[in-house]
């Protein structure tokens, strides 16, 4: 007699108060919510089987299978069938075994970003139907959308992965999760590590080439298009992947690298390479990504503004702009204008030296040549110091906001803010503070020192974790006698 292996999810354990509480108290949708969606999907499946007889054989293996009786079993059998069909003529597991793996995960009480798998899958389907104009019914999503199927595979793999990492979990669960990851990657072209944490209501549009690393986090109601990478920066171990907030839109082909935060309701333009934290509500684009403004809508992930039309641009003077334009005249860093000014000054001095009066005597000419040599040596030393400072602060030049004007003496630059607060706040907090100061400006073009002096105390309390003493220290650094100090 063959001894059956114990189901890793069926182990007896005392349930916590949160797990035994009603779904409404746990912040989860009621079971009726799942049942209503199941009835809708099944009705559509019956309708399609009659209208399109060619699809009947597929539906009998999935939604209309005799053993499908509820939402959990319908999703489990459908995704299992899709995964099995991609394994070729000799699948590793039979259909019943694969269905059991998904059903166990759907019943698991393990939470991912605050939701059970059944609740998250339900919200994923609803998110797809709302955001994809090409989608006509939820049945299309479950049967054909590879982004949805890969997300279900990840959610099941994560439950098995967490069982393996628990004290009494079976070692086989780790390999089940890794097998699910591998098969989903081969079948759907989406590679998500089982340990990654993904919220509910997430939409992977097209999904091909999407990669999410081990320690990455994606919040609720996010939209990620094809080719998005949430990756690390190299061979560094530990917490090394991005943390994406809620309601975030990430455009096609974007790469977000390193343990950085992308704030709630942010928008990342297509093809961007994000290497530094992005404040909440900000819009970033480019390689490396620059913050060009902030989103007009409260939920960018649902609006899916891929062309970045709904953006209040930095430098737009509060007017609505038809889109993002990055011309060669835009100034992105404070150092660039200074460097250009020095070059122009140097060129003018060189021309002045070359146009020395030819009628001057030999002694004056010798003195002029000697002075020129001394000036040249001073220039070389100054440039050497500038290069050293540039290497020392190269990390912050990747995070500067886009600027569309020549820096003014009465403006506060991001560089100045960073230099004064970098030992008190995180880079993400400094970005939040600067963006909020920029939003409060009427012209939305630069942060005026006079206005910043008024708004800074309340802004730094709102967007940082500094206590009262450190907030006062930051104020004294930037607001001596009510004025900002330091070079801009």
């Amino acid at each position: 007699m063959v001894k059956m292996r114990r189901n890793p999810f069926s182990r007896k354990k005392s349930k916590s108060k949160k797990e035994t509480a009603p779904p409404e108290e746990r912040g989860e949708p009621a079971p009726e919510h799942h049942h209503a969606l199941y009835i809708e999907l099944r009705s559509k499946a019956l309708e399609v089987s009659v209208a399109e007889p060619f699809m009947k054989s597929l539906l009998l293996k999935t939604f209309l299978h005799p053993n499908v009786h509820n939402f959990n079993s319908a999703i489990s059998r459908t995704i299992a069938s899709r995964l099995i069909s991609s394994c070729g003529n000799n699948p590793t597991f039979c259909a019943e075994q694969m269905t059991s793996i998904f059903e166990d995960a759907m019943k698991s009480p393990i939470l991912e970003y605050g939701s059970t798998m059944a609740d998250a899958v339900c919200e994923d389907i609803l998110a797809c139907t709302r955001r994809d104009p090409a989608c006509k019914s939820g049945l299309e999503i479950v049967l054909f959308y590879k982004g949805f199927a890969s997300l279900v595979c990840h959610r099941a793999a994560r439950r098995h992965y967490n069982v393996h990492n628990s004290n009494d979990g079976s070692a086989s669960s780790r390999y089940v999760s890794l097998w699910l990851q591998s098969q989903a990657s081969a079948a759907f072209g989406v590679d998500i590590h089982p340990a990654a944490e993904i919220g509910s209501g997430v939409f992977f549009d097209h999904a091909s080439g999407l990669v999410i690393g081990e320690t990455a986090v994606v919040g609720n109601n996010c939209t990620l298009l094809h080719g998005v990478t949430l990756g690390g920066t190299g061979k560094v171990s530990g917490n090394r992947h991005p943390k994406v907030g809620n309601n975030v839109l990430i455009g096609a082909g974007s790469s977000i690298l390193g343990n950085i935060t992308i704030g709630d309701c942010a928008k990342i333009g297509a093809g961007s390479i994000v290497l530094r934290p992005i404040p909440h509500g900000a819009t970033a684009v480019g390689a490396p990504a620059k913050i060009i403004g902030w989103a007009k809508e409260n939920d960018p992930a649902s609006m899916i503004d891929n062309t970045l039309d709904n953006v209040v641009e930095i430098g737009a003077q509060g007017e609505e702009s038809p889109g993002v334009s990055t011309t060669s005249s835009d100034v992105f860093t404070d150092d660039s204008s200074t460097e250009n000014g020095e070059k122009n000054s140097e060129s003018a001095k060189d021309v002045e030296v070359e146009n020395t009066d030819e009628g001057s005597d030999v002694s004056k000419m010798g003195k002029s040549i000697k002075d020129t040599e001394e000036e040249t040596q001073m220039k070389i030393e100054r440039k050497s110091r500038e290069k050293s400072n540039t290497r020392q602060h190269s990390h912050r030049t990747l995070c500067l906001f886009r600027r569309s004007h020549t820096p003014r003496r009465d403006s506060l630059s991001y560089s100045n803010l960073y230099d004064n607060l970098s030992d008190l706040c995180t880079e993400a907090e400094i970005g939040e503070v600067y963006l909020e100061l920029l939003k409060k400006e009427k012209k939305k073009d630069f942060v005026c020192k006079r206005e910043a002096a008024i708004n800074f105390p309340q802004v730094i309390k709102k967007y940082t974790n500094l206590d009262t003493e450190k907030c006062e220290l930051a104020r004294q650094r930037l607001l001596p006698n009510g004025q900002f100090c330091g070079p801009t």
Side-chain angles (χ1 to χ4, degrees), residues 2 25 31 54 82 221 229 260 285 347-348:
V2 179
E25 294 183 11
F54 183 78
R82 294 183 63 177
N221 305 315
T229 297
I260 59 176
V285 66
S347 299

Side-chain angles (χ1 to χ4, degrees), residues 366-383:
K367 185 177 180 180
S368 177
I369 294 174
K370 184 177 180 181
D371 292 342
T372 302
E373 291 177 351
E374 292 178 354
E375 289 179 2
T376 302
Q377 183 63 28
M378 292 175 62
K379 293 174 189 175
I380 293 174
E381 293 177 357
R382 184 169 65 251
K383 287 185 177 181

Side-chain angles (χ1 to χ4, degrees), residues 377-392:
Q377 183 63 28
M378 292 175 62
K379 293 174 189 175
I380 293 174
E381 293 177 357
R382 184 169 65 251
K383 287 185 177 181
S384 177
R385 289 194 300 270
E386 290 174 355
K387 288 181 179 179
S388 177
N389 292 334
T390 300
R391 285 192 296 269
Q392 183 178 358

Side-chain angles (χ1 to χ4, degrees), residues 121-366:
V121 170
C122 183
E123 292 299 323
D124 293 341
I125 296 174
L126 296 176
C128 293
T129 56
R130 294 173 186 141
R131 300 176 200 171
D132 189 356
C135 178
K136 305 303 179 183
S137 70
L139 184 63
E140 297 177 14
I141 297 166
V142 179
L143 290 177
F144 307 121
Y145 278 39
K146 58 185 178 181
F148 170 77
S150 63
L151 192 50
V152 173
C153 290
H154 159 72
R155 298 194 188 284
R158 179 176 169 83
R159 268 67 187 183
H160 285 276
Y161 197 82
N162 282 347
V163 167
H164 163 74
N165 289 334
S166 63
N167 295 330
D168 56 350
S170 61
S172 62
S173 295
R174 171 180 173 83
Y175 287 91
V176 169
S177 64
L178 295 176
W179 184 88
L180 285 172
Q181 176 196 5
S182 175
Q183 289 302 121
S185 178
F188 309 121
V190 178
D191 193 358
I192 309 174
H193 193 280
E197 186 175 7
I198 301 178
S200 61
V202 173
F203 177 35
F204 292 162
D205 196 1
H206 298 290
S208 298
L210 193 146
V211 177
I212 300 179
E214 178 185 10
T215 60
V217 175
V218 178
N220 295 325
N221 305 315
C222 291
T223 297
L224 283 69
L225 278 80
H226 52 282
V228 169
T229 297
L230 304 183
T233 56
K235 296 177 65 177
V236 178
S237 60
N239 199 359
R240 61 194 183 280
H241 295 98
K243 309 298 181 286
V244 180
N246 302 321
N247 305 305
V248 174
L249 171 65
I250 304 179
S254 298
S255 295
I256 305 176
L257 307 177
N259 183 21
I260 59 176
T261 58
I262 307 298
D264 295 347
C265 303
K267 289 199 285 191
I268 308 299
S272 300
I273 300 178
V274 184
L275 304 175
R276 297 297 162 197
I278 302 298
H280 83 281
T283 298
V285 66
K290 304 284 184 182
I291 298 173
I292 62 167
W294 52 91
K296 295 178 182 178
E297 63 270 39
N298 295 326
D299 186 3
S302 296
M303 299 300 294
I304 312 185
D305 175 30
N306 288 324
T307 56
L308 303 184
D309 288 329
N310 297 324
V311 176
V312 179
E313 292 187 48
I314 297 175
Q317 297 187 358
E319 300 177 358
E320 294 188 3
S321 178
V324 176
S325 60
T326 54
T327 62
S328 58
S329 61
D330 288 344
V331 180
F332 291 98
T333 65
D334 300 325
D335 298 333
S336 61
S337 60
T338 305
E339 185 179 351
N340 290 335
E342 290 179 355
K343 288 182 178 179
N344 293 336
S345 177
E346 292 167 8
S347 299
K349 289 181 180 179
D350 292 341
V351 171
E352 184 178 348
V353 171
E354 292 175 1
N355 293 333
T356 304
D357 186 10
E358 296 179 358
S360 61
D361 55 19
V362 176
S363 60
K364 290 183 178 181
M365 184 176 295

Side-chain angles (χ1 to χ4, degrees), residues 44-59 64 139-140 144:
K44 187 64 178 180
L46 290 170
E47 178 185 332
V48 172
S49 66
V50 175
E52 302 182 39
F54 183 78
M55 295 298 298
K56 189 171 184 178
S57 60
L58 172 63
L59 293 171
L64 302 181
L139 184 63
E140 297 177 14
F144 307 121

